[in-house]
Amino acid sequence: MSKVKTLAHDAMHIRGKQLPARSGGSREDGQKRRREAPGQGRAKVSDTPPTVNTGERNQSDANQLTALLAAQKKYKDSLVKPNQDLIDQFQAPINTPIQLCMRDGKVVMQMVRIPAYSECCTIDTLRFTVHENTIFNKTVRTLLTYDEIAREFSKCVEEIFGFGLVNKYDKGRDFFLHSWELGDNYGHFAIGGEKQRDMALISLNGQGCLAAKPGWELRLYNFLTSSDCVSPRITRVDLAHDDFDGTLFSVHDFDRVWEIGGFDRFGNRPEPNNFGPWKSNDPNGKGLTFYAGTKHGSQLFRGYQKGKQLGSPNSPWTRAEVQFSNHDKVIPLHILIDPSSYFVAAYPILQHYSPNKTGKRTETVKKTAEAGMEHFTKYTKLSYGKFIRIARQFYGDKEFLDLVESDQEDWPARLRMPNYKFSQTPIHKQREPEVFDPLALTASDYGYPDDDSSLHSQLSTQ
């Protein structure tokens, strides 16, 4: 046992000390609690004789432990100084009534919103489902296979986002039977399966939301609210605010504000989790993350150092992100065109983001590319810095660069700019594969000679 644990053990087990009881019948040390007679006071520690013959512990040990813990606390506070202004200016949440509604025979909560002073967030991830009849209402063709249905869905997806379905995966995803890639790995489309009740899933990741053609939120809203769309439902949406300068809140601020109720919802305080080297204050710049809530719930907060996550160890870029799921919550379609009102209503602390506009998508793409360049530059220098210094003197700058640059013009995945213009040709614009159907009827089946019959060839030559 270390010295600190020994001092802590001795301070908590001073003989004769009456510790607070957890229940009415037992004490903290497991012994039965005594009831004093009326007018009789509790015995002091000094009045209680020792129960063993080793003598009492020296009180200086307890004082030494107190001084040691105080020194540790002072050192910890010196690493991360509390933001007292944040605590003083913290405001209580606006009281909003809890709205309940019925869904599939179950009572679920309707999301509430608070008017925001500016667009302080953007949609970072989106998943929604529609019924297959939606595509049947928009086409006059007869669709028999899942591939034909996917081609028709690809037309609608391209009209909304600027990119469509490009490649079919070897297997399904998210418990669906078939799945296709969207754009340049911007998400996926899935359909089929006995338990999916003829629903189709469209899932966009963060890159897909950045790459989509501007104005896709309104176009998608109009599509889902049209009379042709059957059973539209948003199953997940992530709303994010990017603070490129890191001047508003840091991950340490999120951690401290949780203790004073900054993430309380309807009287409940979500479970906090810290990921990353918090105790050492992240000396290598890998990035810290603060979570409030769990992934299995209907609402989860993530505050993390986005710049460091992308490979820039000195970047102040901080992202505040809220993930909404439809486990026991109804996500309204209105969130597509007014995400900030739902973002600031998620937690009390997020109301501070209302007058602060988030970064534009173009700025986010630029910052992402800069972080990627810094990442590649750092590790290229660590791995080949010595060789490059000698090779420049040996070959010359231009000759050396001509030797080591790649012959392919593809961009690295970390530096690839998300843009709908760079995505592959969607499947509805590709040539349909020819499928041999042995049951198909030809002209000869009706008694007329076809092009391949010998009789037709004889008659055509006469």
Side-chain angles (χ1 to χ4, degrees):
M1 184 179 294
S2 63
K3 185 175 181 180
V4 174
K5 291 184 178 180
T6 303
L7 294 176
H9 180 272
D10 295 340
M12 295 300 295
H13 294 81
I14 299 177
R15 276 172 292 280
K17 183 178 180 181
Q18 298 289 343
L19 299 177
R22 291 184 178 177
S23 62
S26 62
R27 301 189 318 187
E28 188 76 16
D29 55 3
Q31 300 180 5
K32 291 185 178 181
R33 184 180 182 182
R34 296 186 306 168
R35 288 184 176 271
E36 291 79 20
Q40 180 180 358
R42 188 179 299 274
K44 300 180 180 180
V45 176
S46 58
D47 299 335
T48 306
T51 56
V52 293
N53 58 358
T54 56
E56 293 292 344
R57 285 285 181 182
N58 192 347
Q59 186 65 24
S60 61
D61 293 344
N63 296 336
Q64 184 178 359
L65 172 63
T66 304
L68 180 60
L69 295 178
Q72 292 179 347
K73 183 178 183 301
K74 183 177 180 181
Y75 174 72
K76 183 178 179 181
D77 293 341
S78 64
L79 294 177
V80 182
K81 297 182 180 180
N83 190 342
Q84 191 62 36
D85 294 337
L86 170 64
I87 299 175
D88 295 338
Q89 297 177 5
F90 181 78
Q91 300 176 357
I94 300 177
N95 294 326
T96 54
I98 301 177
Q99 303 178 13
L100 303 177
C101 59
M102 295 291 294
R103 187 186 68 188
D104 300 334
K106 298 181 181 179
V107 178
V108 294
M109 184 183 300
Q110 178 76 23
M111 288 182 59
V112 296
R113 60 193 181 100
I114 298 176
Y117 297 107
S118 63
E119 287 299 330
C120 58
C121 72
T122 57
I123 298 177
D124 186 63
T125 299
L126 179 65
R127 294 165 63 96
F128 63 94
T129 58
V130 295
H131 198 273
E132 291 179 5
N133 290 340
T134 300
I135 208 63
F136 290 105
N137 296 337
K138 293 182 175 294
T139 183
V140 294
R141 294 181 55 188
T142 301
L143 307 178
L144 301 178
T145 64
Y146 285 120
D147 291 338
E148 294 177 349
I149 296 176
R151 291 178 68 90
E152 294 299 321
F153 263 110
S154 181
K155 296 179 182 179
C156 296
V157 172
E158 187 189 28
E159 292 177 358
I160 297 172
F161 302 107
F163 51 81
L165 285 63
V166 292
N167 298 318
K168 186 175 182 179
Y169 292 115
D170 297 334
K171 57 182 180 179
R173 300 187 62 175
D174 297 327
F175 305 102
F176 284 86
L177 190 61
H178 305 280
S179 61
W180 286 260
E181 178 186 359
L182 291 180
D184 187 11
N185 197 22
Y186 296 150
H188 62 272
F189 170 84
I191 197 173
E194 297 181 358
K195 297 183 179 180
Q196 303 304 331
R197 298 177 295 179
D198 297 331
M199 301 297 289
L201 168 69
I202 298 177
S203 176
L204 265 71
N205 53 30
Q207 295 294 313
C209 293
L210 286 175
K213 191 175 181 180
W216 65 267
E217 296 92 344
L218 180 59
R219 292 193 296 270
L220 178 60
Y221 176 79
N222 294 333
F223 170 77
L224 297 179
T225 55
S226 63
S227 58
D228 295 335
C229 191
V230 181
S231 301
R233 178 181 295 181
I234 297 177
T235 59
R236 173 183 171 180
V237 59
D238 293 5
L239 306 180
H241 174 93
D242 288 313
D243 185 7
F244 298 119
D245 299 328
T247 56
L248 189 58
F249 294 115
S250 66
V251 291
H252 303 286
D253 295 330
F254 294 138
D255 186 37
R256 284 189 290 268
V257 168
W258 177 89
E259 300 179 357
I260 59 177
F263 293 94
D264 290 359
R265 298 177 58 246
F266 309 116
N268 297 322
R269 185 163 296 181
E271 178 183 353
N273 286 292
N274 295 344
F275 287 87
W278 282 77
K279 291 185 177 180
S280 59
N281 200 26
D282 192 18
N284 298 324
K286 297 295 184 179
L288 306 176
T289 304
F290 171 79
Y291 283 89
T294 60
K295 295 182 178 180
H296 303 288
S298 60
Q299 189 167 309
L300 170 67
F301 173 83
R302 282 187 297 267
Y304 59 102
Q305 297 170 322
K306 182 67 175 179
K308 294 183 179 181
Q309 180 206 18
L310 296 175
S312 179
N314 299 320
S315 174
W317 181 3
T318 303
R319 170 171 288 187
E321 189 173 271
V322 183
Q323 173 183 321
F324 297 102
S325 303
N326 71 331
H327 297 310
D328 56 354
K329 185 190 297 291
V330 174
I331 303 178
L333 301 178
H334 189 263
I335 199 173
L336 295 172
I337 55 178
D338 187 20
S340 298
S341 298
Y342 297 91
F343 179 77
V344 299
Y347 300 99
I349 183 62
L350 299 185
Q351 296 178 28
H352 289 275
Y353 286 103
S354 180
N356 299 277
K357 294 183 178 181
T358 187
K360 297 181 179 180
R361 297 183 186 275
T362 55
E363 190 176 359
T364 303
V365 173
K366 180 181 178 182
K367 292 290 184 179
T368 303
E370 291 177 355
M373 288 294 296
E374 185 176 350
H375 171 82
F376 280 117
T377 303
K378 172 185 175 182
Y379 286 97
T380 301
K381 182 176 181 179
L382 289 175
S383 302
Y384 303 102
K386 295 181 179 179
F387 165 72
I388 292 174
R389 182 171 58 84
I390 300 300
R392 288 180 59 191
Q393 302 175 8
F394 187 82
Y395 292 104
D397 292 346
K398 183 179 184 304
E399 290 77 7
F400 172 68
L401 292 177
D402 293 339
L403 287 173
V404 299
E405 69 176 2
S406 176
D407 298 330
Q408 301 177 359
E409 296 183 358
D410 297 339
W411 283 57
R414 187 182 289 268
L415 299 180
R416 191 175 301 166
M417 301 292 183
N419 195 310
Y420 69 97
K421 298 179 181 179
F422 302 149
S423 59
Q424 305 178 34
T425 304
I427 58 176
H428 67 274
K429 293 184 178 179
Q430 301 175 8
R431 183 178 179 181
E432 295 189 29
E434 297 181 0
V435 180
F436 173 74
D437 189 357
L439 301 180
L441 299 178
T442 62
S444 59
D445 296 323
Y446 293 96
Y448 300 100
D450 53 17
D451 296 340
D452 298 331
S453 63
S454 59
L455 178 60
H456 180 270
S457 60
Q458 294 177 4
L459 295 176
S460 61
T461 56
Q462 296 178 357

